[in-house]
Amino acid sequence: MGEFKVHRVRFFNYVPSGIRCVAYNNQSNRLAVSRTDGTVEVYNLSANYFQEKFFPGHESRATEALCWAEGQRLFSAGLNGEIMEYDLQALNIKYAVDVFGGPIWSMAVSPSGSQLLVGCEDGSVKLFQITPDKIQFERNFDRQKSRILSLSWHPSGTHVAAGSIDYISVFDVKSGSAIHKMIVDRQHMGVSKRKCIVWGVAFLSDGTVISVDSAGKVQFWDSATGTLVKSHLIANADVQSIAVAERRLISCSKKRQLLLFQFAHHLELWRLGSTVATGKNGDTLPLSKNADHLLHLKTKGPENIICSCISPCGSWIACSTVSRFFLYRLNYEHDNISLKRVSKMPPFLRCALQILFSEDSTKLFVASNQGALHIVQLSGGSFKHLHAFQPQSGTVEAMCLLAVSSDGNWLAASGTSAGVHVYNVKQLKLHCTVPAYNFPVTAMAIAPNTNNLVIAHSDQQVFEYSIPDKQYTDWSRTVQKQGFHHLWLQRDTPITHISFHPKRPMHILLHDAYMFCIIDKSLPLPNDKTLLYNPFPPTNESDVVRRRTAHAFKISKIYKPLLFMDLLDERTLVAVERPLDDIIAQLPPPIKKKKFGT
Amino acid sequence: MVSDQKPLGSWSVKQGQIITCPAVCNFQTREYIVVHDNKVLRIWNNEDVNLDKVFKATLSAEVYRILSVQGTEPLVLFKEGAVRGLEALLADPQQKIETVISDEEVIKWTKFFIVFRHPVLIFITEKHGNYFAYVQMFNSRILTKYTLLLGQDENSVIESFTASVDRKFISLMSLSSDGCIYETLIPIRPTDPEKNQTLVRSLLLKAVVSGNTRNGVALTALDQDHIAVLGSPQAASKECLSVWNIKFQTLQTSKELPQGTSGQLWYYGENLFMLHGKSLTVIPYKCEVSSLAGALGKLKHGQDPGTHVMPRFVNWETPQGCGLGFQNSEQSRRIEDSEKHIEVEVRKFLALKQTPDFHTVIGDTVTGLLERCKAEPSFYPRNCLMQLIQTHVLSYSLCPDLMEIALIKKDVQLLQLCLQQFPDIPESVTCACLKIFLSIGDDSLQETDVSMESVFDYSNSVHDEKMEEQTEILQNGFSPEEDKCSNCDQELNKKPQDETKESTSCPVVPKRAALLNAILHSAYSETFLLPHLKDIPAQHITLFLKYLYFLYLKCSENATMTLPGIHPPTLNQIMDWICLLLDANFTVVVMMPEAKRLLINLYKLVKSQISVYSELNKIEVSFRELQKLNQEKNNRGLYSIEVLELF
């Protein structure tokens, strides 16, 4: 079936940023997550928890609160004192409003979804009206002594509870006056004179306010009388959550065997090692040359890198932040590398969501956040803008996945919800649109020679669409008719990369975080009774048995968690792993909790 | 007491003006209405700050009260007895107000009801010691006047009124200066409105308050069967609030108010409000459905309102005016009956199963039953308690009295059940159970019906607890006779038949074994258990040790070191208890000649255990080395090139 030398890379020192806050939208079943680096991600929980959208972070923006308002609008507020609204279509920040109250610690949307309340450092609680295209300041509530760390609306929208330092206030929304002030006991187990910070409040429909504070108490208050009803002391502990981003952070240059790693504020270029030895399955080969760290490229400014790419020839590196696009030319002289930045980028190349080089490295494809796709001709040390495919009128949906055919004639682009558009690069026009599917695209690639577009969706379905014929291929129809193996559909991580073998047109190589698979289209498909994954190599089975049990899905689960896997040449693969233990080792130690009197 | 008393709003009239009628809330418009200087009406709402600037209407006659209830517009009752709707009055504030009552007649009290969605107003007037009741129907605009006859005691003065209403009558209750409560029934629909009718009052409760207190006397009806009275029960005593059941003539509850009250008492939405000293006191009080059981105190008083236990008791119909009582001679029969009755009711309730408040109801029922158990020693609803324990929702901390009572009654079956079901039994109680389990006579054990689940087959066991002879077996590398394990095989060959027979003899009867197993299964903390173990008599300690040793031998009979049976004690539990008992009582046991053989056996047991564990340690070390080798093989560092073949 196939024997490969695998470059097993574990030196991608990537640590996902911690999660600061989350907001769940009940109607659309989406979860917005903000990280400590300011990145905001939107996960579609219906589509297999797929990370659907993402907004790059910014050093000065520490998001403290996220909320969804009516009409699926996402707002965030943070320590820079601004409320921001995110454009979920164009994937950029719609606007930012300074609330003039110092850093914002908390934010809550009214039960009706039409009003926004923020709690600020200076003790003010400010009410904003959400208008169809912006937000408008309405009024200030009675100013409190210290910062407002938590807010909660009464389900009827008439009252608001606000947690501050050492006390909780209850406001009447209509008059904006504080009707009760409930003092939280500072004492913790009889000692401690530190301030008691009310980290969270919840207002129940019966008027009960529940608070949690830094002394580890959960308290129940009666908001009508302002009295403490019940108090529970609990040992509180922080929850550390880990979620590895599914974005493409790695690209590779096949020709020069280079790997480009993307971090929040810098890029790293590594050259893979080599070996002359051969071996049998499972062997680790002695290295004749180890992997080298060639380059450490730091971006200036507070903005995080959105995307990056190295060209297949290894001579170009492109990357983009929210406001700037960078293109570098690399020159190799034996072991020396020189880097030259291509200056004077055109103004339209400002913010890219995805960058891709053509196979021959002569063309650069850039998906901008305005929904346009730019084609740039690269030659020598310069570039020329060839064309821009504008989004169809009326839509502003940003494209975040690109694929180009090996002959460079076809370009496929996919947004977060609508179908995949295929453009003819030679004639510079839209060729066709693959019918839209219910679940977002997680990976796609165009096969060489046949120009079949293979698309993987978040519900684990894989389609093959013939671009020249503008229809699904027979194999794809057969697969759909028979259905995938139930274990294949039960996998919980999406396919993140698809590639093809140059010499074996029947093979599709794809992987998710926990497995690598070669689909051999010439073999029969497995049904639910057959064993999908067999970790043991056949030993002395007869050829008859092997042929009978052989099926199209050849799976390997050796490498995990797998961030990236691609074919370098016919017989060589590169696999980038990020062992969880290495990430955990870099996390702060968890709070140890002693249970019972042992 | 309402802590942190803070008004949500407060308004005052100008200096010189006097509020002459309590402010009321107009529930329809959410406005407040007050009258000052008898004739000036003010209406305002929450947003208004200055009472002087709010709506004002000066009326042509003096106002007695403004009455407001939910669901209808407020009424204004004038001192001359005329009544107007607020809106009609505001339309023309200066309209002429007619005089209804005669000269020198003074309104004493008034109340406003809604009967069948129609407002009904009642007010009481007094003239020269005679009392008159006026009932105003608003749907028919009929005003009926009644003369109240005071009956025998013509000289008494009525101090306070209250009224409740049912379908046909307004029940007017009055507290007289003689300390008695009288009831007068006033028909809602008058038979002949034109004629002046008389009403006779009947005695309802005698000597509720002391006859000579004048201040702070008030009463209010809570529901048809209950009234709350504020006042001093005896001449010298402090003032108190008491709730009476008028149907059964019993005092339901009473609370002393040492700081004195002002004779004002209100009841709204299951809360009693009164002035106590300088503060407003709110006492939540929900009337239970009046039942004989409740009136006789069979149910716990002051039980959490909202429990559903009360209504589950049958409400025996009693004639009105029935006295306080049952004869003492009937008591024991009644207890038996009530035990049976409670059992039936509990079974009925358990059959219904999971109501949302199932936990609280079970908890309240048990506390109620135990309360009564403590009060009446002959009352012990055993079956009922067993059923309740088996609901799995009880715990020791929820009803500590339960095990206490079972310990007093030496009810080993109930104790076993508690040990099996409760996760939080304190060590002292566990130890008390152990004492009883070890000391209870075989005869009394024979009568009990303990669960034998944890005990394996005793067909060969000998029921002689004095049995001293112990056995030797040779399993799992252990030989009590032999010091050296290397000789095990030899030993085994020597007398195999003897051993198999002897090892099966148990030092305790199966029922006691089952009880002791319950102890073994219970959770404990060594530090807290040890001191209590010292209190157990030495012969019981040896008996228990023998039993544990027997269990250990049983354990060693098979390779998995487990006992047969559904829920047997584990080897760890057995070993821990052996250690605990020896730790706590070592000096005592050492001094006992009859325990000598047992101690020798135990010593050998420990010795053999040590050798087994040292062997196990050796094996563990070897395995760890192997694991290390394996790990080194798997650890490939940051970068490697490997060969992968897909099949």
Side-chain angles (χ1 to χ4, degrees), chain B residues 391-489:
Chain B
T391 54
H392 299 280
V393 301
L394 291 177
S395 63
Y396 178 83
S397 31
L398 208 62
C399 48
D401 295 340
L402 177 58
M403 287 190 79
E404 193 186 306
I405 290 168
L407 281 168
I408 293 167
K409 305 235 179 229
K410 297 210 168 177
D411 187 345
V412 289
Q413 191 189 345
L414 194 76
L415 288 174
Q416 184 197 29
L417 201 60
C418 291
L419 284 166
Q420 285 166 351
Q421 301 282 359
F422 295 175
D424 55 346
I425 301 175
E427 284 77 359
S428 59
V429 177
T430 312
C431 214
C433 293
L434 177 62
K435 266 191 214 168
I436 288 191
F437 292 171
L438 288 168
S439 62
I440 191 167
D442 276 0
D443 312 340
S444 25
L445 260 185
Q446 227 52 49
E447 291 157 21
T448 59
D449 182 26
V450 298
S451 157
M452 301 295 286
E453 202 181 52
S454 64
V455 182
F456 50 93
D457 187 24
Y458 278 95
S459 49
N460 295 329
S461 61
V462 180
H463 293 178
D464 178 13
E465 302 204 350
K466 302 283 175 304
M467 212 194 70
E468 184 61 27
E469 206 58 45
Q470 265 310 330
T471 57
E472 307 107 39
I473 59 140
L474 292 167
Q475 294 290 328
N476 287 320
F478 167 63
S479 156
E481 280 289 87
E482 202 58 48
D483 284 352
K484 284 180 186 164
C485 266
S486 53
N487 290 352
C488 282
D489 288 346

Side-chain angles (χ1 to χ4, degrees), chain A residues 521-537:
Chain A
K521 291 189 282 178
S522 61
L523 288 174
L525 291 165
N527 60 32
D528 278 359
K529 282 186 205 108
T530 39
L531 188 67
L532 183 68
Y533 168 59
N534 180 14
F536 306 107

Side-chain angles (χ1 to χ4, degrees), chain A residues 204-486:
Chain A
L204 307 188
S205 57
D206 69 348
T208 305
V209 173
I210 304 170
S211 70
V212 290
D213 59 47
S214 60
K217 296 193 295 293
V218 177
Q219 295 186 308
F220 292 74
W221 306 84
D222 184 344
S223 71
T225 59
T227 47
L228 180 64
V229 181
K230 247 179 200 166
S231 177
H232 297 284
L233 194 68
I234 54 151
N236 62 338
D238 290 286
V239 178
Q240 292 283 350
S241 28
I242 298 176
V244 177
E246 288 146 1
R247 277 184 290 137
R248 271 192 67 175
L249 302 172
I250 302 158
S251 53
C252 93
S253 155
K254 291 182 181 183
K255 195 179 144 202
R256 291 194 181 266
Q257 308 226 322
L258 299 173
L259 283 179
L260 182 72
F261 297 143
Q262 176 192 326
F263 296 85
H265 293 286
H266 72 271
L267 300 172
E268 280 181 14
L269 186 66
W270 290 72
R271 178 164 39 212
L272 294 170
S274 59
T275 182
V276 285
T278 52
K280 60 181 199 305
N281 185 31
D283 285 354
T284 304
L285 304 176
L287 297 175
S288 55
K289 199 170 136 249
N290 206 338
D292 289 333
H293 186 182
L294 299 182
L295 212 64
H296 184 99
L297 204 62
K298 231 178 129 50
T299 56
K300 293 183 193 85
E303 293 162 340
N304 288 8
I305 299 172
I306 304 174
C307 58
S308 62
C309 194
I310 185 165
S311 66
C313 68
S315 324
W316 300 90
I317 289 177
C319 73
S320 171
T321 69
V322 171
S323 58
R324 295 178 79 179
F325 186 91
F326 301 92
L327 184 65
Y328 298 97
R329 172 87 182 161
L330 290 163
N331 275 311
Y332 300 87
E333 283 159 29
H334 306 292
D335 271 354
N336 294 332
I337 309 160
S338 59
L339 182 83
K340 205 180 129 211
R341 182 166 164 215
V342 181
S343 52
K344 284 184 248 154
M345 297 308 295
F348 53 83
L349 280 182
R350 208 166 56 86
C351 171
L353 292 174
Q354 187 66 265
I355 309 167
L356 190 70
F357 288 94
S358 65
E359 198 105 319
D360 56 4
S361 304
T362 57
K363 285 192 183 78
L364 173 67
F365 305 97
V366 177
S368 81
N369 67 337
Q370 307 300 319
L373 287 174
H374 299 281
I375 305 175
V376 176
Q377 176 85 50
L378 302 168
S379 54
S382 64
F383 68 93
K384 197 177 109 200
H385 184 238
L386 280 185
H387 187 73
F389 293 111
Q390 292 303 331
Q392 269 125 323
S393 54
T395 63
V396 282
E397 201 201 32
M399 295 293 152
C400 41
L401 269 178
L402 295 177
V404 67
S405 65
S406 60
D407 57 15
N409 285 348
W410 308 102
L411 175 68
S414 156
T416 53
S417 53
V420 178
H421 303 291
V422 180
Y423 298 93
N424 188 324
V425 178
K426 283 237 171 83
Q427 296 172 10
L428 299 176
K429 63 168 196 167
L430 181 70
H431 176 69
C432 62
T433 299
V434 182
Y437 186 66
N438 288 344
F439 291 89
V441 179
T442 66
M444 59 182 186
I446 301 171
N449 307 322
T450 58
N451 283 333
N452 287 339
L453 176 66
V454 178
I455 309 167
H457 291 275
S458 70
D459 64 343
Q460 309 298 4
Q461 294 290 343
V462 177
F463 295 95
E464 191 187 44
Y465 184 86
S466 167
I467 293 174
D469 299 345
K470 297 188 185 178
Q471 60 175 9
Y472 288 112
T473 62
D474 290 342
W475 179 80
S476 187
R477 285 172 208 275
T478 316
V479 172
Q480 286 308 312
K481 211 151 79 193
Q482 194 183 323
F484 281 93
H485 195 278
H486 67 105

Side-chain angles (χ1 to χ4, degrees), chain A residues 1-8 10 227 273 280-285 287 290 518 537-538 554 556 559, chain B residues 2-8 47 525 527-528 633-647:
Chain A
M1 177 72 200
E3 194 182 282
F4 298 98
K5 273 185 194 169
V6 183
H7 291 265
R8 198 165 177 184
R10 292 160 178 233
T227 47
K280 60 181 199 305
N281 185 31
D283 285 354
T284 304
L285 304 176
L287 297 175
N290 206 338
I518 298 179
K554 310 294 170 193
S556 158
Y559 316 108
Chain B
V2 181
S3 62
D4 191 18
Q5 289 191 11
K6 196 167 64 181
L8 295 176
E47 271 86 71
S525 169
T527 345
F528 299 117
K633 204 183 143 199
N634 280 332
N635 193 6
R636 287 180 186 82
L638 291 178
Y639 179 63
S640 59
I641 300 178
E642 289 168 20
V643 179
L644 170 73
E645 194 180 350
L646 287 166
F647 302 96

